[in-house]
Structures are given as structure tokens and as C-alpha cells.
Amino acid sequence: MGIKQPQQKIYWVSGKGGVGKSTVAAAQALAFARKGHRTLLVELGEKSFYRRVFDRDIDHQPTQVGDDFFISRWDGEDCLKEYLLHLFRVEKIVNLFFENKVTKSLLQAAPGLKELSILGKITSGVRGVGPTLNFDRIVVDAYSTGHFQALIKAPPAMAEAIPFGPMGEQSHSIIGVLKDPRISRYAVVTIPEELPVTEGLELAAFLRAQDLPAPRFILNRHLDLPFGLEDLQPLRQNDFVVYLETLLRRQNEFESRLKSAASPLETLKYSWKPSAIGRIQDLAEAIQVEEGT
Amino acid sequence: MTGAFPDELKVIVCAGTGGVGKTTVSAALGAWLAQEGKKTLVLTIDPAKRLAQAMGIQTGADADVQIADPRMGGRLYATMLNPHSVFDRFVHRMSPNKTVAQKLLSNHLYQQLVTNLTGSQEFTSLEKLLSAVEDGGYDIVILDTPPTQNAVDFLRAPQRIFALFQDSVTKWFVPGSKKGLIAQIVQRGTKTVLGVLERVTGSQFIHELSDFFEQMSYLQGRVKERSQRVHDMLTSEKTAFVIVTSFDELKLQEAMEFQQDLKNEGYRLHGVVVNRCFPEWSGFENDPSAGEDLRREIQEIHENFKRQYVLRFELSQKMQNTLGRDIPVARIPEMTASPQGLDDLLRLSAKLKEQWKNSDPADGGPS
């Protein structure tokens, strides 16, 4: 029986592919864990990214990787199976359903079904449905922009296609959780470059259009240079300096563009650590950790 | 043509995960081939607005647009894929008659399927690719694959949709299929599947689903044949895969895994593009015009960049060694801003050409 988790908060992390979303999401989760929150970092899809980072097998059931820090990898099929088991309670029926060729095809192609199952699982603690999800904080390394939008659109689309039955009801309760600012927080990760910034801003507009809480913007890979463009100017004969100038100019441009559209803007300093784990630890120290409700 | 692309080539598939510059590389390849005299089509899913503007393509528009720049000699064309219209055209083409087509197009579930991102982008890009190759009259077609978390997804996704058209699936929902004992077992299984579905979704959905599959069953034969043609096209000797990745440890590792996947599935890899490489800059120790503090600060950052460079360069070397001498790895330097117009694309294609000509595992490397 599901046990409702009233204090649970869900952090959704998205952004254009290549901006360091997974690293930032892990850093956020680690930061929460360090503050004593029992935290679950969730990655989506069939292949694990964090497996290589933490050198552990990452699967459906939470794997502990640190104090108060757990990671799970959830995909549509596993989540749906778990949900149906919860609904029907008889394992035999559910297995028969899943071992069926027809079901497999349906699951792969059926619009929104996988997305809905994943969202259902992520929000199950808050809604008190399914196996207990005993965590204070859930941080979701969600898909990059396009697929993330498809994920968010699945419940309303499903509610329209199938308004009746448990599926329809679940869709509505999931939407409720996504919209509740006390529970769901959104973060758009970007870097000081054209496409990531544009897509990030478009993503924020999309969230607004879906009536979801406004996201916070995280400008990742920010070069905190102890000098400015004026200092570099006289040194231009050096090719590295020219490169630094280009980077700095570009960074300044996008930083101000973001600040005018998304205030306050959180910046995360570029980490030079050679390992992903090292970078996650660096970012965990700098990233904002909200307290209270 | 260059060593990387033999003359008989008809298709180039640019594959790789999101965020590596696939679209730009696809467009640059297109510009290169058009300059070499080939009538070229670049199929792209999601170009940056400015790149799209430069190439004259817009969302929603369905026709292949000819790039007007005189340097292209009227040989370069581009299209932005529109899943909706590709699907609709596919249904019309595959349906035995207009009635079946109409019923399917107006089916609620079908409409959801088309707008759903998962699988539909992959399916439509391959479907459009096949159409362009067979009917478009192009010398060569370049496909910029949709962004996926995992590059192999692109290759597997269409099979899943094609699977929906198979006998084992469609016959379940078509009323009146009865064949004795086998049917009994199947029926029992059907009851379970439908029972579960009905319980979870309500009977309205079951009606929609039955109707959907009934219409789909009429398309079955032609879809089967078409999906076989897609597979044959992808594994043909006239189809080259190009892996696009970037100068980043994780992306490089992903690319190495992906090239193994391609090999396993029988696809032909012709080259790898490592995008956005930064160079090994000359040192900064003795510039007298900088104050001591500034000099030290810049030097420190230079060391940091250099360390990253070495690590990434070594990974790209490792990849070249794994691939062997026949498959060139092009290291493309980072540009100051994201490529916006044809000038930038031509600059990029010149670099590609140069790199692929000179690509040699024994060459280069950090000092």
C-alpha cells in the first residue's frame, strides 16, 4: 500500500543536450544529501549514464552511493509493470500481459504510455500510490528539451485520449503534482552559448504555457576569471589570449541575455576536475540548496 | 571525390547523441558535396533558427528548398522534417484505398501517435529518407538524425513501429479470426490482454484501439515491404554512416561504443567527426607586457585547458586506433560563434575535407 510522503519535493532538471544536465542534477542531489535530506537521484531511459560515473550498477531499485544519497534508473516498461502489479496485485496476470508480443509492441509505440508510467512512478510518493518512495528529495535528470516537453505533455494528452478508468484518473492526479509549486521545482540548465540559451528560454516559455511553476535558470560551465576583457586587450598577440577573449565576450553576452529574461540567475563555476565525480562534487558545493517549504 | 566518400554513395547518415553539432556537420557535408557537383539533399529535424534561415527552410513547410547561393550552383537542397505530413503521406501511400486512409487519419489514437515524440521522429526521418532516395532524383541524400539520449535508439526505433503492423499484432484486434485450437489459446491470451487494458483504460479506449488496428491491418503488406526496403537501404554499400561527436570525454566514449554498435548491426562507418576541438595553444610564460599576477592567472588557466586537451586528444587517438586507418577521424576546431550562414558552413566543410584527407593515426599528438 502506498504511503504518502507529504514533505517530499521533486526537482526536475532539463536543458539542451550537452549542457551538463546530468552533472548538475547529480550535484543538486548530492547537495541535498549533504544537508541531511534522504535523496533519490533519478535518471530516465534504458541506458545508465551514472553507472560509469559512480562505477555501480544502476537499476530500477535505488542504489546507495553515499550518505542519504541514492540513484535509480527508471524506464517506461519497468514503471508500467510496477504500476499494473499495484493495480492488479496478481503477479501471474501482469506477467502474462507483459510477456505478450502484442503488449511489447503496444508499449513501444503507444503514445504517451511510457511517459505516463515514468511520471506516475516519480510522483507516486507524493500521491501515495504504489510501493513506498521514502525520500525527502527526488531529483530527476530529465530528458533534454524536446523529449522533456513530450514527457510533460503526456498526462494531458492521455487524459484527453482516455478520460475514463484508472489511467484517466492517474493522469489528472499527476498533472496536479506537476503544477504544485510546493512539490515540483523546475531547473533549466544552460551554458553561455547560442543554442542552449535559446532552447532554455523556449523551455521556460513552454513550462509557462503548460501552467507549471516558473523554472530557475542555472548557467553552467561559467568561467570565473579574475580579470576582464580590458586586461586581456594588450596581450592579443598571444593566440591563447585571443581564445580567452572570445570565450569571455561570448559568456558576457549570454549572461546578460539570460539575466534580463530570467532573474535571478544562478551560475555554476566551470570545474577543471578530470573525473565526472570530481566535477559533481565541485558543483555540489556551489549549487543552491533551498530550505523550508 | 575524397577518400572518405566514394562516388557511388547515395546516402550519408550523420549519427550521434544530442548536443554535438550534428545538424551543422550535416549541412556542411551537404555544402561540400554540392560544390563537388552532386545534386544534394540535406534532411534535418531541428536546425537552429539562423541556420534554417540561411538555408531557407522553415518549420511546417514540406517541400525541399533549393539553396539560392550561386556557389552551390543550384545543387544544394534542404528540408526540415515534418512528422505530421510524413506520416499522413505514408498512410495515403500504404492504404489500399481512400476510405481506409481516411479512417486511420481520423482515428484519435493515430493522431496521438503522430504527435508523440518517442519513435515518430525516428520513423519519419527514415521514411522521408527512403522517399527522397527512391523518388527525389538526388545524387546523394544526407540525413541529420534526430537528437536522442542514446545514438543506437535511432536505428532501433522504426522497427518498433513496424512491429505494430505485424500479423501477430494486428490479427488480435481484427474481429472474426478463428482457427480452432490455436485460436482458443490466442483468445484466452487476448482476453487477458484486453481485460487488463479495459480495466485500466476504460472500454472507449478499447474501441479506439480495435478500430486503429483494423485499419492498420489493411496497410500491413505494403508496410512490411517498405520496412524491408528501409533496412536494405541502411545496410547497403551505397550508404555511409558518419559518427559526429565532440571534444569531450563522455561524448568520445559514447562515440566509441556507438561505432561498435554500428559494426555489430552491419552498418558501414565511413568517418568520424570530432567537433569543437580546441587547439594546443602556444605557452604564455614570458610575455613581458603582462603584469606578474595577470601572467600567473592566465598561465594557470592555460595549464587547465592543456590538461583537458591532452586527455581528450588521447581519447580521440584511441578511437582512431580502434577504427583503423580506413576510417578517418576529422578533428574540427571550435568556431567563435555557432555557424549561421553559408560562409560558416563552407569554412567548416573546407576543414572537414582537409582533416579527412590528412587523417593519419601516426600523425599529430601533444608535445
Side-chain angles (χ1 to χ4, degrees):
Chain A
M1 206 68 219
I3 300 168
K4 244 188 176 173
Q5 309 282 339
Q7 79 296 352
Q8 196 176 81
K9 302 212 190 307
I10 306 171
Y11 284 75
W12 308 85
V13 182
S14 182
K16 186 182 190 325
V19 298
K21 214 173 2 74
S22 303
T23 309
V24 172
Q28 181 77 87
L30 179 57
F32 281 137
R34 282 179 177 171
K35 288 256 168 154
H37 295 288
R38 196 176 146 85
T39 309
L40 179 67
L41 172 64
V42 177
E43 61 176 331
L44 308 179
E46 282 155 45
K47 229 179 174 189
S48 172
F49 169 87
Y50 294 121
R51 180 207 178 119
R52 231 187 268 130
V53 174
F54 292 93
D55 198 23
R56 308 280 303 272
D57 274 326
I58 308 279
D59 265 309
H60 192 82
Q61 295 307 325
T63 302
Q64 182 154 20
V65 294
D67 287 338
D68 285 321
F69 188 13
F70 298 74
I71 311 184
S72 271
R73 179 185 58 79
W74 290 340
D75 77 52
E77 206 170 301
D78 293 336
C79 292
L80 183 62
K81 199 168 189 175
E82 205 179 58
Y83 169 64
L84 289 179
L85 213 61
H86 156 79
L87 205 64
F88 289 96
R89 307 209 193 293
V90 180
E91 200 158 349
K92 223 176 187 173
I93 296 179
V94 178
N95 284 339
L96 205 71
F97 180 72
F98 266 88
E99 272 139 42
N100 189 287
K101 216 189 222 176
V102 181
T103 314
K104 281 208 189 305
S105 313
L106 266 178
L107 280 180
Q108 292 297 344
L113 195 58
K114 285 208 284 188
E115 286 78 9
L116 199 72
S117 308
I118 289 169
L119 288 177
K121 174 72 183 170
I122 295 171
T123 58
S124 63
V126 172
R127 298 181 299 123
V129 170
T132 312
L133 202 58
N134 181 17
F135 294 97
D136 286 337
R137 299 281 181 272
I138 297 182
V139 179
V140 184
D141 170 22
Y143 304 115
S144 49
T145 4
H147 287 274
F148 179 64
Q149 291 178 17
L151 186 67
I152 296 294
K153 284 195 282 191
M158 190 59 96
E160 202 194 304
I162 311 170
F164 307 111
M167 204 85 121
E169 288 156 18
Q170 293 293 335
S171 305
H172 285 113
S173 78
I174 290 169
I175 293 169
V177 172
L178 294 179
K179 288 189 173 178
D180 191 339
R182 291 166 304 175
I183 304 168
S184 285
R185 311 286 163 91
Y186 299 84
V188 172
V189 181
T190 182
I191 48 176
E193 285 175 28
E194 173 86 53
L195 294 178
V197 167
T198 307
E199 257 188 53
L201 292 169
E202 283 170 2
L203 183 56
F206 165 79
L207 292 173
R208 216 169 15 245
Q210 295 287 312
D211 208 22
L212 298 177
R216 84 187 210 260
F217 270 82
I218 299 177
L219 181 59
N220 195 22
R221 301 204 190 128
H222 189 265
L223 279 172
D224 281 6
L225 300 173
F227 45 78
L229 282 168
E230 339 68 68
D231 300 306
L232 293 177
Q233 239 236 1
L235 306 172
R236 278 232 197 101
Q237 63 280 10
N238 182 285
D239 56 356
F240 180 62
V241 171
V242 171
Y243 181 70
L244 273 183
E245 262 194 322
T246 316
L247 281 184
L248 193 53
R249 199 171 288 126
R250 192 168 67 190
Q251 183 172 275
N252 291 343
E253 181 200 329
F254 288 110
E255 197 173 340
S256 53
R257 190 168 149 198
L258 279 169
K259 274 188 176 146
S260 60
S263 196
L265 176 68
E266 186 177 344
T267 59
L268 287 177
K269 190 172 150 179
Y270 196 108
S271 164
W272 294 102
K273 295 268 163 67
S275 69
I277 275 258
R279 289 192 289 269
I280 291 170
Q281 284 165 347
D282 275 356
L283 295 188
E285 249 150 70
I287 200 166
Q288 246 175 53
V289 181
E290 275 180 317
E291 291 307 335
T293 38
Chain B
M1 245 201 268
T2 71
F5 298 123
D7 271 317
E8 318 79 59
L9 219 58
K10 298 241 79 189
V11 179
I12 299 178
V13 179
C14 288
T17 50
V20 295
K22 259 187 304 182
T23 304
T24 312
V25 169
S26 305
L29 281 174
W32 174 3
L33 292 169
Q35 279 195 308
E36 301 258 334
K38 301 271 167 177
K39 186 178 177 197
T40 311
L41 174 68
V42 178
L43 285 177
T44 181
I45 267 276
D46 195 18
K49 280 206 180 74
R50 289 194 207 166
L51 190 65
Q53 263 166 29
M55 298 186 83
I57 49 183
Q58 312 150 349
T59 337
D62 203 34
D64 300 345
V65 175
Q66 185 183 40
I67 277 74
D69 193 296
R71 287 171 291 184
M72 297 294 103
R75 290 179 298 270
L76 182 61
Y77 293 76
T79 303
M80 189 144 61
L81 284 162
N82 183 335
H84 226 288
S85 51
V86 173
F87 258 107
D88 287 357
R89 227 176 312 130
F90 175 74
V91 169
H92 276 292
R93 196 177 192 147
M94 299 287 113
S95 298
N97 57 60
K98 272 212 171 101
T99 314
V100 171
Q102 271 312 113
K103 277 194 176 165
L104 192 52
L105 291 172
S106 52
N107 180 285
H108 211 179
L109 272 170
Y110 166 81
Q111 286 163 7
Q112 288 292 330
L113 180 74
V114 167
T115 47
N116 172 39
L117 207 66
T118 320
S120 71
Q121 272 189 340
E122 288 84 352
F123 175 85
T124 54
S125 51
L126 287 176
E127 170 55 31
K128 171 74 191 183
L129 180 65
L130 186 64
S131 304
V133 170
E134 290 188 337
D135 313 322
Y138 295 101
D139 293 326
I140 190 159
V141 182
I142 300 171
L143 176 65
D144 165 30
T145 56
T148 44
Q149 174 212 19
N150 163 15
V152 185
D153 272 348
F154 167 71
L155 300 168
R156 304 230 176 100
Q159 287 165 340
R160 295 186 220 132
I161 296 205
F162 288 131
L164 272 183
F165 291 87
Q166 279 164 36
D167 249 342
S168 51
V169 177
T170 56
K171 287 245 148 66
W172 278 61
F173 296 92
V174 175
S177 43
K178 41 192 184 291
K179 257 145 216 141
L181 186 63
I182 312 260
Q184 295 293 327
I185 298 168
V186 165
Q187 287 286 43
R188 221 185 304 137
T190 313
K191 276 213 170 82
T192 314
V193 173
L194 291 180
V196 169
L197 275 177
E198 189 155 7
R199 171 80 211 268
V200 174
T201 66
S203 54
Q204 180 204 357
F205 179 70
I206 300 300
H207 283 304
E208 294 262 329
L209 201 63
S210 297
D211 181 61
F212 178 69
F213 278 109
E214 185 179 342
Q215 305 313 319
M216 296 265 274
S217 68
Y218 297 122
L219 277 60
Q220 197 183 30
R222 295 186 202 193
V223 171
K224 198 173 179 178
E225 190 220 6
R226 197 152 177 88
S227 65
Q228 185 59 47
R229 291 225 289 279
V230 168
H231 182 258
D232 291 344
M233 170 186 64
L234 289 178
T235 50
S236 149
E237 314 166 308
K238 300 194 181 155
T239 297
F241 274 75
V242 169
I243 293 179
V244 184
T245 180
S246 64
F247 205 50
D248 171 273
E249 300 91 277
L250 293 167
K251 294 284 179 191
L252 285 166
Q253 276 160 17
E254 272 171 6
M256 279 198 272
E257 286 174 11
F258 186 44
Q259 69 85 21
Q260 188 57 51
D261 289 329
L262 283 181
K263 206 173 176 182
N264 296 342
E265 308 268 332
Y267 301 109
R268 291 149 216 274
L269 180 63
H270 278 234
V272 175
V273 178
V274 182
N275 215 1
R276 314 192 56 188
C277 297
F278 49 79
E280 197 188 2
W281 296 278
S282 35
F284 192 75
E285 300 89 354
N286 297 313
D287 195 321
S289 43
E292 205 181 304
D293 285 339
L294 183 60
R295 207 186 313 152
R296 204 180 353 103
E297 284 157 4
I298 297 180
Q299 189 60 13
E300 191 181 322
I301 298 171
H302 181 261
E303 294 293 310
N304 282 325
F305 267 107
K306 184 165 180 174
R307 221 176 299 125
Q308 272 199 348
Y309 170 81
V310 169
L311 182 66
R312 290 164 184 190
F313 187 88
E314 282 172 0
L315 270 171
S316 68
Q317 283 287 69
K318 190 172 166 191
M319 182 161 55
Q320 177 76 85
N321 293 338
T322 313
L323 294 172
R325 290 185 109 88
D326 294 329
I327 300 174
V329 175
R331 283 187 207 98
I332 306 300
E334 185 154 22
M335 297 192 145
T336 48
S338 46
Q340 290 173 18
L342 215 51
D343 290 334
D344 288 337
L345 286 182
L346 288 170
R347 225 170 286 138
L348 183 54
S349 52
K351 288 251 156 64
L352 268 171
K353 212 169 164 178
E354 172 199 309
Q355 276 283 304
W356 261 332
K357 256 201 197 127
N358 300 335
S359 179
D360 183 342
D363 209 289
S367 41

